[in-house]
Amino acid sequence: MTISPPRSALYIPASNARALEKAPSLDCDAVIIDLEDAVHPDARDDAREQMRTVAKIWPSRPRLLAVRINPLQSEWGTEDLIAALAIRPGAIVLPKAESPQEITALGEAFNEFDLPVRPQIWAMIETPRGLLNAPAMAELGLHQRHGLAAFIAGTNDLAKATGVRSADAMQPWLMHILLAARAGGLAVLDGVHNDFRDIDGFEAACHAARGRGFDGKTLIHPSQIEPANRIFAPSADEIAEARAIKTAFALPENAGKGVIEIDGRMVERLHLEQAEAILAKAVHS
Ligand code: COA
Ligand code: MG
């Protein structure tokens, strides 16, 4: 991603006018307007129109706007894409992505529109086939022209499709998604926490996802925004440590060194790169 990956990406069902109107005023890093699972199939035509109508009267734009369309091969896919592109999103979220061809097909579909800026593609890994093909899909991230910029773990659909019932049992798959994403240079967002009144549980889930290396979390309720922004941002301790590493390597006596000691710990130049990444992230958060 050329922009910092979102710490918080809030889904808003396109069928919910009141929530849509609020989109630009929310403090999440990204808004994902949903035309797929959160909208009843019979309500999808109306929801699509409502999205366009409400987006026209927004007084400002969300920080980063994404739209989740239905798969292109579904009966809603093409109409969804037309409506989504009309509101100039920064990203299109492709649900149930299962093969590299589906991602290149979406990129090719963009070519049929006169777009000042091509949106990024965020692919959801949420089916058994999608999981198995995640490494092949991630390879597309190495060729920027495809526009693939992120994976999102779709944990609800994965549970439904596999029968897995516990978060623990899903851990290896989340790490598989993480590893594939990083191999392709992609950002990676964790699935949603359904129990949105349970903020302690949500915070624990954010800490766990951060520990696994995820950049942020997809959200379903505004109450989840503040904790996600806080937990996925570099902590004060991490920022202080990063500054210390930067300062130490900047000293004239360390100029030619690949490895130095700080407070009894070995610090290499790779840690300097990590420190710089943390400080860059801190600026955005
Ligand atoms: N985005 C923006 N605003 C939201 C919101 C969301 N996802 N979810 C709730 N709100 C707003 C409500 O509009 C309400 O605003 P108001 O006080 O001005 O009326 C306020 O937050 C409080 O809402 P609350 O009563 O706590 O929730 P609810 O019962 O109205 O809705 C859900 C609960 C789960 C139905 C709703 O949060 C939702 O639809 N979430 C997204 C679901 C989704 O997109 N799923 C697909 C991906 S998994
Ligand atoms: Mg889904």
Side-chain angles (χ1 to χ4, degrees):
M1 279 198 177
T2 44
I3 39 160
S4 225
R7 299 161 298 174
S8 52
L10 176 69
Y11 286 105
I12 302 184
S15 48
N16 184 341
R18 194 174 162 86
L20 274 182
E21 279 165 20
K22 274 187 240 166
S25 65
L26 297 165
D27 195 34
C28 43
D29 287 344
V31 158
I32 305 177
I33 300 182
D34 190 21
L35 295 167
E36 198 225 9
D37 280 347
V39 183
H40 190 281
D42 296 343
R44 285 184 185 160
D45 291 345
D46 289 345
R48 209 185 281 131
E49 288 319 306
Q50 175 163 271
M51 171 182 77
R52 295 181 67 156
T53 308
V54 174
K56 273 194 200 129
I57 55 158
W58 278 338
S60 60
R61 304 265 301 169
R63 216 171 278 164
L64 176 53
L65 174 64
V67 179
R68 182 163 79 170
I69 61 171
N70 283 280
L72 276 188
Q73 64 276 18
S74 73
E75 65 174 286
W76 306 280
T78 304
E79 288 298 315
D80 284 359
L81 184 63
I82 293 168
L85 293 176
I87 65 166
R88 295 176 293 116
I92 295 288
V93 177
L94 185 66
K96 303 179 180 74
E98 297 196 317
S99 69
Q101 290 77 10
E102 276 174 50
I103 293 165
T104 52
L106 178 57
E108 279 160 23
F110 291 164
N111 294 338
E112 288 166 33
F113 298 83
D114 184 22
L115 300 172
V117 184
R118 281 169 76 88
Q120 297 181 341
I121 297 174
W122 297 357
M124 296 200 65
I125 308 301
E126 51 182 349
T127 64
R129 244 190 107 218
L131 261 188
L132 292 172
N133 291 334
M137 288 190 267
E139 286 280 302
L140 296 177
L142 302 175
H143 309 282
Q144 296 244 320
R145 67 180 187 281
H146 297 297
L148 180 66
F151 275 169
I152 300 176
T155 40
N156 280 334
D157 268 289
L158 271 175
K160 173 181 164 221
T162 60
V164 159
R165 281 161 186 272
S166 79
D168 280 354
M170 213 172 275
Q171 295 314 312
W173 296 342
L174 292 172
M175 292 318 296
H176 172 79
I177 293 170
L178 185 284
L179 191 61
R182 296 310 187 208
L186 305 177
V188 58
L189 305 183
D190 195 20
V192 299
H193 186 77
N194 296 329
D195 192 355
F196 63 87
R197 307 264 180 235
D198 168 26
I199 288 297
D200 289 346
F202 176 73
E203 294 206 1
C206 288
H207 283 294
R210 192 168 186 235
R212 287 192 291 267
F214 281 74
D215 294 305
K217 202 160 168 66
T218 46
L219 315 179
I220 53 169
H221 194 273
S223 61
Q224 298 177 325
I225 297 173
E226 184 282 325
N229 284 349
R230 173 166 38 84
I231 294 166
F232 286 99
S235 67
D237 284 354
E238 284 171 316
I239 293 170
E241 191 189 1
R243 287 210 180 108
I245 292 172
K246 218 178 152 187
T247 306
F249 271 109
L251 294 173
E253 62 264 36
N254 291 333
K257 292 189 184 162
V259 59
I260 59 174
E261 180 252 305
I262 303 177
D263 296 334
R265 283 197 309 122
M266 176 190 78
V267 179
E268 295 177 300
R269 283 205 175 257
L270 70 91
H271 296 113
L272 176 60
E273 286 169 25
Q274 245 178 337
E276 280 164 350
I278 288 170
L279 294 175
K281 217 171 170 182
V283 171
H284 293 289
S285 52

